[in-house]
Amino acid sequence: MQQSAKLKSAVDENPPMVAFSHVSQVFDGQAVIDDLNSTIPQGEIFVLVGTSGSGKTTTLKMINQLQPQASGQITIQGQDIETIGLQQLRWNIGYVLQQIALFPTMTVAENIAVIPEMKGVARAEIDALIDRLLTSVGLDPATYRTRMPQELSGGEQQRIGICRAIASDPPLVLMDEAFSALDPISRTQLQDLVLDLHEARHDTIIFVTHDMDEALKMGDHIAVMREGKILQVATPTEIAQHPANDFVQQFFAQSVAKQDRDVYVSKLVMMGFAQQQLDDSNATTVTVTADATLGEVYRQLDDATALRVVDGKRQLGFVTAADIVRYLGQR
């Protein structure tokens, strides 16, 4: 477990967790990542979102060198990844896949213990670690330690996958469409679990998804990708209020419209996703009725700071783009 400190020694005093400098990737003569330049700060959840084939997973796999870049430089905490031994690099990066990929012939405890055992951690320390991690993801160690992967539900298997990924206390965790194959209830539970673990561990998570709703819920910053390029990196609220181009705007607007065609603006007010007064004296508003839907009124925020929600002559409150982001992210 002390090996993770090696990744934390850096050339700069406080370098980004990951930095891409003129990185490209080519498959079969075709560029799938084109001159990628971006930085990912330490200690946050950074979400890569985009349509299928946009380069999200390829970007993730270049970080742990499952697919080494064709050109350019990638650094982790100031260190060029090509100067870090491959084993050392991967020992210090947690990896959670959509397919989960638990070892089918190993028990839950054995799956979690893989990397700590490789790193020579003492047996007693590993046993205590397994119990602690299982408890942290809501699974009773006495019940689950000896179970085999095929005896678990999909959500339980993914919880074990998360335990295995963080068992060596890596400073960086990669999550590739980790919850997309799960049912909605399990997906929501695991999203909340990862947010809780992140708050406790203060690690850096790079999270790949094609779902803007999930990106809004999970991300401190979101990078919107298309055809191997990052179109915009911003906070969820900044993307909602200031999309970089039509594609980003449409991508966000689709998340508003997808499940919210029948969600009335009044629901946001009743659920607390609104303000009674606007602090900005220069704010501009547009008045909408309480029975208007998000899909109907969201575009009006292109020309106004907030929606003024009224029910007859009664003013219910104000809804901003940031309020809509909070609602979408916490559903």
Side-chain angles (χ1 to χ4, degrees):
M1 293 222 273
Q2 292 155 356
Q3 296 285 352
S4 63
K6 292 189 177 181
L7 268 185
K8 296 180 180 180
S9 62
V11 175
D12 299 325
E13 185 176 342
N14 189 29
M17 177 57 72
V18 179
F20 300 91
S21 178
H22 301 292
V23 171
S24 66
Q25 183 61 278
V26 178
F27 294 143
D28 298 326
Q30 297 291 320
V32 293
I33 299 293
D34 184 16
D35 194 30
L36 179 62
N37 295 278
S38 188
T39 58
I40 298 173
Q42 296 189 38
E44 70 170 47
I45 300 180
F46 187 93
V47 179
L48 296 171
V49 67
T51 55
S52 178
S54 60
K56 308 182 301 295
T57 293
T58 298
T59 299
L60 209 67
K61 288 182 176 180
M62 290 191 296
I63 295 172
N64 65 4
Q65 294 290 275
L66 284 175
Q67 294 176 356
Q69 70 272 27
S71 63
Q73 183 188 58
I74 303 173
T75 62
I76 295 181
Q77 292 182 299
Q79 300 179 56
D80 188 330
I81 59 174
E82 293 183 350
T83 68
I84 304 171
L86 195 58
Q87 182 184 68
Q88 183 70 26
L89 176 73
R90 293 177 181 169
W91 275 2
N92 288 280
I93 299 177
Y95 195 28
V96 185
L97 299 166
Q98 175 183 344
Q99 296 84 2
I100 306 172
L102 297 179
F103 298 112
T105 59
M106 291 183 176
T107 65
V108 162
E110 290 168 339
N111 266 280
I112 296 172
V114 168
I115 299 301
E117 286 180 346
M118 288 182 179
K119 297 171 80 168
V121 178
R123 185 71 247 173
E125 188 175 348
I126 292 176
D127 289 340
L129 173 68
I130 291 168
D131 288 350
R132 188 167 65 251
L133 287 173
L134 285 173
T135 301
S136 73
V137 300
L139 299 176
D140 176 30
T143 302
Y144 284 90
R145 260 180 158 273
T146 58
R147 287 192 177 178
M148 304 301 289
Q150 60 269 27
E151 299 177 286
L152 308 176
S153 68
E156 289 171 338
Q157 288 185 44
Q158 198 59 290
R159 287 172 189 261
I160 303 306
I162 292 169
C163 288
R164 186 175 65 183
I166 65 175
S168 62
D169 195 26
L172 175 62
V173 177
L174 310 179
M175 305 191 79
D176 187 7
E177 300 277 8
F179 311 139
S180 61
L182 301 176
D183 63 89
I185 293 176
S186 296
R187 185 170 187 166
T188 298
Q189 290 173 341
L190 285 170
Q191 289 168 349
D192 293 340
L193 171 64
V194 168
L195 290 171
D196 289 342
L197 290 173
H198 173 68
E199 184 175 356
R201 299 181 67 244
H202 307 293
D203 53 359
T204 303
I205 299 174
I206 305 178
F207 191 100
V208 164
T209 181
H210 64 273
D211 187 328
M212 192 62 167
D213 284 354
E214 187 166 63
L216 292 169
K217 178 173 182 174
M218 303 299 294
D220 295 303
H221 281 87
I222 298 172
V224 182
M225 296 192 70
R226 184 187 188 192
E227 297 178 350
K229 293 180 179 292
I230 291 180
L231 303 182
Q232 183 173 10
V233 178
T235 65
T237 299
E238 288 168 343
I239 285 178
Q241 294 178 325
H242 307 291
N245 54 35
D246 289 344
F247 178 84
V248 176
Q249 183 181 45
Q250 285 295 320
F251 205 83
F252 179 81
Q254 286 169 9
S255 75
V256 175
K258 181 175 60 177
Q259 296 183 24
D260 295 309
R261 292 186 180 91
D262 299 322
V263 173
Y264 299 119
V265 181
S266 57
K267 180 178 180 181
L268 272 69
V269 177
M270 288 186 292
M271 293 178 65
F273 295 98
Q275 306 166 44
Q276 289 304 306
Q277 298 292 333
L278 292 174
D279 294 332
D280 184 0
S281 59
N282 296 318
T284 57
T285 63
V286 58
T287 300
V288 300
T289 59
D291 60 356
T293 67
L294 286 186
E296 291 170 342
V297 303
Y298 169 70
R299 288 297 181 84
Q300 296 185 54
L301 287 171
D302 291 346
D303 302 313
T305 305
L307 305 171
R308 176 176 174 266
V309 185
V310 298
D311 184 6
K313 295 182 178 180
R314 186 164 60 102
Q315 178 175 294
L316 301 183
F318 298 91
V319 174
T320 66
D323 296 324
I324 293 176
V325 167
R326 288 192 302 117
Y327 165 73
L328 292 174
Q330 294 183 34
R331 283 184 309 170

